[in-house]
Structure formats: C-alpha cells, structure tokens
Amino acid sequence: MNKILVVITLSDSGIETIKSTPELPKKEMEFVNLWQKEEILESFFISVTKVNAVLIFKSIDEPQVKKLIESLPYFPYMSKIEYHVLNQQF
C-alpha cells in the first residue's frame, strides 16, 4: 500500500504569527484530529522547535493530500512543503 509522507516547514514570520494568535493552533489540530478519525492520517509529528511537521497519509492519493494541506489554517505560513509517495515494504 502506498503512503504519502508530507514534510512541512513554517516560515519565520509564520511562526511569529502563529505564536501571537492562540486560536490558530487549535484550528490546525481540529483538522489533524479529523483526519485521524477518518483514518487517512496515520502519523503526525512536530519537531521540538515547532518549525517542522511530518504527516503520513494512507488510503488517499497525492492530489487529495495536497488539497488537504492547502486547507490547513497554517498553510499561508508554510515556507516549504515536500510530498513523497512511499511504497511500504513491511
């Protein structure tokens, strides 16, 4: 089964905006929790510095994943997004 690994980096100005807007992290986590409940998000990691996030999606294709990422409240504050389609070996 293919999985899609997404690596997100926030911009410096984006981090400052997020820190100064307490409702943004709550809104962001609503999306993440929904995806987990829908069983399309397998894993979610945030770096210790909170600058980077890694998400692993399953059961959906890359165009769908891109639409989901673009719907996130943090999307305007992302400086880099990488998508990697992976073929799980075991």
Side-chain angles (χ1 to χ4, degrees), residues 41-81:
L41 183 63
E42 182 173 291
S43 298
F44 176 61
F45 303 91
I46 300 174
S47 67
V48 175
T49 62
K50 299 188 179 180
V51 174
N52 301 297
V54 175
L55 299 91
I56 301 174
F57 288 90
K58 62 181 180 177
S59 306
I60 60 173
D61 62 17
E62 187 175 0
Q64 290 174 301
V65 170
K66 287 182 178 182
K67 284 183 183 180
L68 291 174
I69 297 299
E70 291 170 4
S71 72
L72 288 170
Y74 282 14
F75 182 73
Y77 311 109
M78 297 177 187
S79 63
K80 185 177 180 183
I81 306 167

Side-chain angles (χ1 to χ4, degrees), residues 4-68:
I4 300 173
L5 173 77
V6 182
V7 181
I8 297 170
T9 303
L10 297 173
S11 67
D12 291 338
S13 61
I15 292 167
E16 293 306 315
T17 302
I18 291 164
K19 284 181 181 177
S20 65
T21 315
E23 66 272 3
L24 270 176
K26 291 176 187 174
K27 288 180 182 177
E28 187 83 359
M29 286 309 297
E30 287 175 11
F31 283 83
V32 171
N33 290 330
L34 176 64
W35 298 341
Q36 183 183 26
K37 285 180 188 172
E38 292 175 344
E39 297 184 357
I40 58 173
L41 183 63
E42 182 173 291
S43 298
F44 176 61
F45 303 91
I46 300 174
S47 67
V48 175
T49 62
K50 299 188 179 180
V51 174
N52 301 297
V54 175
L55 299 91
I56 301 174
F57 288 90
K58 62 181 180 177
S59 306
I60 60 173
D61 62 17
E62 187 175 0
Q64 290 174 301
V65 170
K66 287 182 178 182
K67 284 183 183 180
L68 291 174

